[in-house]
Amino acid sequence: MICKIEKQSGVAFTLKKGQQLKVIDPIGGQVSDMVLFNASDTREKISSGKTLDFEETILITTNHYLWSNRSNKMMRILEDTNGRNDFLLAPCSPETFKIMYNYGGYHPSCFENLYTNLKQFDIQPDDVPTAFNIFMNVQFAADGKLSVLPPLSKAGDFVLFEAEMDLIVALTACSAEDSNGGRFKPIHYEILE
Amino acid sequence: MICKIEKQSGVAFTLKKGQQLKVIDPIGGQVSDMVLFNASDTREKISSGKTLDFEETILITTNHYLWSNRSNKMMRILEDTNGRNDFLLAPCSPETFKIMYNYGGYHPSCFENLYTNLKQFDIQPDDVPTAFNIFMNVQFAADGKLSVLPPLSKAGDFVLFEAEMDLIVALTACSAEDSNGGRFKPIHYEILE
């Protein structure tokens, strides 16, 4: 069954070891931020630093693992039809829009959509780590300069993950203009046995 | 007063807002991992994801800020005589040596040296974030591939930080062979008013 995440919103759910999660960009050009927690002890969570270290690359895609802060494998990427994801940048937050874009007033954000959906699992805003940003197109220059460009994903592109432990997963349809080509779109996902 | 961190060890201390911290490589070719916590609420801590996002670069050096998970400035880099630091990779841990280097038995690690020194501040191992790795020479290729090379720092190179809030600071003299040109050396530091 394909589930829908409305534009600029999020979900959280459990995923059992061995189950697969397919995250789909139904329209194209839309980012989905994902964070993971060990379902039996939420102090264990996805870690960008551990993943980049063990996988020895910035660009995480097919056959790579997503690792935890305790150096355990949380997920394996079985398939990635787009091939560009980001694991450098924190989820967009109210401060992102204020500090980087001088935006006044309320703006939906992945950070809010992650922590509000994770509340049911007793996970607090301070516990939200750097997300694995599916379909996010962050380019890096030789001098280290980072540029956020529109996603390269086309309608129907997906990333298929397999859980390596029992997990709590939170997923968004990203809320930042610059990350999504200026237009907010839904994200679809499917849990496969 | 110049303080010494013995090879393969660490320290933790408080630093008041406005105080400066000079981290010195006395011999050359030695990495120092640093983590930061808000002294009045240790759930606020240094964040690689927020720093890379707000500074828009992988390479953090003079005039950049180190940001927290709550999007606050924790430190500013006033001077960096070497100019190469890493903020991608997690501190070396017992699992680093086991998984990446097939090392059997006990090996000292930055992770252990951070959490044992942070215990006095009621900070637990799971709370240790990705560190700012001073003098660490991690090169990235256009295809994202990461390579850990010997530090470029020469004897006397330093990075000078200024605290933007009251902080708990933990610092190491890194314990990983590959990160330190195969030889473990001390790190010096000085707190300036």
Side-chain angles (χ1 to χ4, degrees):
Chain A
M1 188 188 67
I2 291 184
C3 305
K4 186 172 174 178
I5 306 172
E6 300 293 340
K7 66 175 181 178
Q8 297 189 299
S9 73
V11 292
F13 52 86
T14 58
L15 192 71
K16 290 279 179 196
K17 182 177 175 173
Q19 283 186 319
Q20 296 176 2
L21 171 68
K22 191 180 209 175
V23 180
I24 305 152
D25 183 350
I27 294 172
Q30 177 62 42
V31 170
S32 175
D33 282 18
M34 180 173 77
V35 293
L36 307 173
F37 298 83
N38 176 340
S40 60
D41 180 354
T42 59
R43 293 176 57 82
E44 179 167 18
K45 62 179 92 165
I46 191 170
S47 165
S48 170
K50 279 291 176 195
T51 301
L52 272 49
D53 199 8
F54 288 137
E55 300 298 336
E56 302 183 69
T57 179
I58 291 176
L59 296 176
I60 302 298
T61 181
T62 307
N63 288 329
H64 290 137
Y65 291 92
L66 301 178
W67 294 79
S68 78
N69 58 331
R70 292 185 191 162
S71 298
N72 293 313
K73 293 172 180 171
M74 302 191 92
M75 275 182 163
R76 184 159 84 94
I77 301 182
L78 301 180
E79 196 175 351
D80 179 358
T81 64
N82 172 52
R84 188 86 193 190
N85 309 291
D86 170 70
F87 210 177
L88 299 177
L89 304 187
C92 62
S93 68
E95 296 80 10
T96 310
F97 300 103
K98 193 173 134 191
I99 296 171
M100 300 190 75
Y101 304 119
N102 289 308
Y103 189 92
Y106 174 77
H107 194 298
S109 67
C110 284
F111 182 65
E112 182 186 7
N113 287 326
L114 292 169
Y115 78 72
T116 52
N117 283 285
L118 286 165
K119 200 175 172 185
Q120 62 186 303
F121 298 106
D122 286 325
I123 294 166
Q124 306 302 316
D126 282 331
D127 300 324
V128 174
T130 294
F132 182 62
N133 304 310
I134 304 163
F135 308 126
M136 190 174 183
N137 182 13
V138 178
Q139 297 287 332
F140 42 91
D143 68 356
K145 181 80 184 159
L146 294 170
S147 308
V148 177
L149 299 183
L152 301 168
S153 48
K154 306 283 179 242
D157 270 332
F158 65 86
V159 184
L160 181 64
F161 304 91
E162 184 165 290
E164 296 274 329
M165 62 170 72
D166 290 353
L167 295 170
I168 294 163
V169 179
L171 268 183
T172 70
C174 175
S175 295
E177 282 79 355
D178 279 15
S179 307
N180 299 290
R183 195 161 67 92
F184 304 116
K185 299 152 299 284
I187 284 287
H188 290 178
Y189 69 98
E190 195 173 3
I191 297 174
L192 307 158
E193 296 303 323
Chain B
M1 189 187 68
I2 292 184
C3 304
K4 187 173 174 178
I5 305 173
E6 300 294 340
K7 66 176 182 178
Q8 298 189 297
S9 73
V11 292
F13 51 86
T14 56
L15 191 71
K16 290 278 180 196
K17 180 176 176 173
Q19 282 186 320
Q20 295 175 5
L21 171 68
K22 192 180 205 172
V23 179
I24 305 153
D25 183 349
I27 293 170
Q30 177 61 42
V31 170
S32 176
D33 282 18
M34 180 172 77
V35 292
L36 307 173
F37 297 83
N38 175 341
S40 60
D41 181 354
T42 60
R43 293 177 57 82
E44 179 166 18
K45 62 179 91 164
I46 191 170
S47 166
S48 169
K50 279 290 176 194
T51 301
L52 271 49
D53 198 7
F54 288 138
E55 300 299 335
E56 300 182 72
T57 180
I58 291 175
L59 296 175
I60 302 297
T61 181
T62 308
N63 288 330
H64 290 137
Y65 291 92
L66 301 177
W67 293 79
S68 79
N69 59 331
R70 292 184 190 163
S71 299
N72 293 313
K73 294 171 180 170
M74 303 192 91
M75 276 182 162
R76 184 158 83 95
I77 302 182
L78 301 179
E79 197 174 349
D80 179 357
T81 65
N82 174 54
R84 189 86 194 190
N85 309 292
D86 170 69
F87 210 177
L88 298 178
L89 303 187
C92 63
S93 68
E95 296 81 10
T96 310
F97 301 103
K98 194 172 135 193
I99 296 171
M100 300 190 76
Y101 303 120
N102 288 308
Y103 188 92
Y106 175 77
H107 195 297
S109 67
C110 285
F111 182 64
E112 182 186 6
N113 287 326
L114 291 170
Y115 79 71
T116 53
N117 283 285
L118 286 165
K119 202 175 171 185
Q120 62 185 304
F121 299 106
D122 287 325
I123 293 165
Q124 306 300 316
D126 282 332
D127 300 324
V128 174
T130 295
F132 183 63
N133 303 310
I134 303 163
F135 308 127
M136 190 173 184
N137 182 14
V138 177
Q139 297 287 333
F140 43 88
D143 67 356
K145 181 80 184 158
L146 294 170
S147 309
V148 178
L149 300 182
L152 302 167
S153 48
K154 306 285 179 242
D157 270 332
F158 65 85
V159 184
L160 181 63
F161 303 90
E162 183 166 290
E164 296 273 329
M165 63 169 72
D166 291 353
L167 294 169
I168 295 163
V169 179
L171 267 183
T172 70
C174 175
S175 294
E177 283 78 357
D178 280 13
S179 307
N180 299 289
R183 197 161 66 90
F184 304 117
K185 301 152 300 281
I187 284 288
H188 290 177
Y189 68 97
E190 195 174 4
I191 295 173
L192 306 159
E193 297 301 326

